[in-house]
Amino acid sequence: MKLVVLDRDGVVNEDSDAYIKHPDEWHPVPGSLEAIAKLKQAGWTVAVATNQSGVRRGYYSRETLHAMHMKFVALLAEQGAQVDWISYSPYVAEDDSPCRKPGTGMLQAIENRFGVSLAGQPMVGDTLADIAVAKAKGMSPYLVKTGKGPRTLATQDPLLSGVPVYDNLLTVVEVLL
C-alpha cells in the first residue's frame, strides 16, 4: 500500500496564528486539492494527521471542526477525489497527550486503521512537530514552505538535517509520483 500522511493547517489549507476557527476561514493552499487528487488517481491512500488545539482552547467546537473537514471533503469531491482518513488531536502541549504531534498516537491510529506500518512512507508537514513525528515512526518526512514552513526552516533545527524541502504540497506530490 502506498500511503501518505499530510498535516492539515499550512499544508492542505492556509494557516493562521489566530487559528482557523470556522469553515469560512478554511481555504485550501493553492494546488493542494489538485495534489491530493493526483495522489488518489495514482492509487495512493491519503491520511491527514492534524493537531487541533483550538478545540481544547475553546476557540471552536468539535462540531465546527467537523464542519471544516466537511468543507475539505466537499472541495476534494469537486476534484473527483477523497481523503481516506482524518485523525486529529484536540489537545494542547501541556496536556502531554500521546496523540498530539510530536507524539505518535495519531500515526499509530492510522497504522491501526489501515493495518500497515508507516515506516518508509512519506509524511508532509510544515512544522518541527511534523518532522519529529515522521522520524519517530521511521517515515520519510517532507517539509513545505507553506504555512509555518518558512519559520520552521529559519530555526535551522538539527532535526531538519536531510529533510527535503519543497514549495508546497503539489511540488512534493510531483516528486512522489
Side-chain angles (χ1 to χ4, degrees):
M1 173 185 284
K2 296 180 293 185
L3 192 154
V4 61
V5 177
L6 309 176
D7 175 49
R8 195 193 84 167
D9 298 332
V11 175
V12 174
N13 60 280
E14 300 291 350
D15 200 358
S16 168
D17 288 335
Y19 294 80
I20 305 302
K21 300 179 289 298
H22 189 274
D24 292 344
E25 299 174 0
W26 197 98
H27 303 287
V29 169
S32 67
L33 300 179
E34 177 189 348
I36 293 169
K38 285 182 177 206
L39 286 166
K40 294 305 298 172
Q41 289 162 3
W44 285 71
T45 298
V46 178
V48 174
T50 177
N51 284 342
Q52 291 296 318
S53 68
V55 172
R56 176 82 159 75
R57 296 174 196 279
Y59 297 161
Y60 50 90
S61 66
R62 288 177 189 259
E63 292 78 17
T64 299
L65 178 60
H66 179 72
M68 287 187 254
H69 289 158
M70 289 301 94
K71 179 177 181 178
F72 171 32
V73 167
L75 290 172
L76 266 180
E78 291 174 9
Q79 299 278 327
Q82 82 280 343
V83 66
D84 297 286
W85 184 261
I86 299 174
S87 188
Y88 74 91
S89 170
Y91 305 106
V92 295
E94 296 75 34
D95 291 332
D96 202 29
S97 170
C99 77
R100 180 178 167 78
K101 294 182 286 183
T104 59
M106 280 191 282
L107 297 186
Q108 183 63 53
I110 292 166
E111 287 179 323
N112 293 346
R113 166 63 181 86
F114 295 104
V116 298
S117 167
L118 291 177
Q121 301 284 4
M123 179 165 177
V124 184
D126 66 326
T127 67
L128 285 175
D130 296 324
I131 302 306
V133 73
K135 286 187 172 190
K137 288 301 275 181
M139 299 179 76
S140 298
Y142 292 82
L143 183 72
V144 290
K145 294 180 186 176
T146 52
K148 293 181 175 69
R151 270 190 253 170
T152 301
L153 280 169
T155 68
Q156 298 183 5
D157 191 286
L159 194 61
L160 297 172
S161 178
V163 174
V165 179
Y166 291 92
D167 287 339
N168 54 37
L169 179 57
L170 185 57
T171 57
V172 173
V173 167
E174 288 167 353
V175 168
L176 291 177
L177 299 180

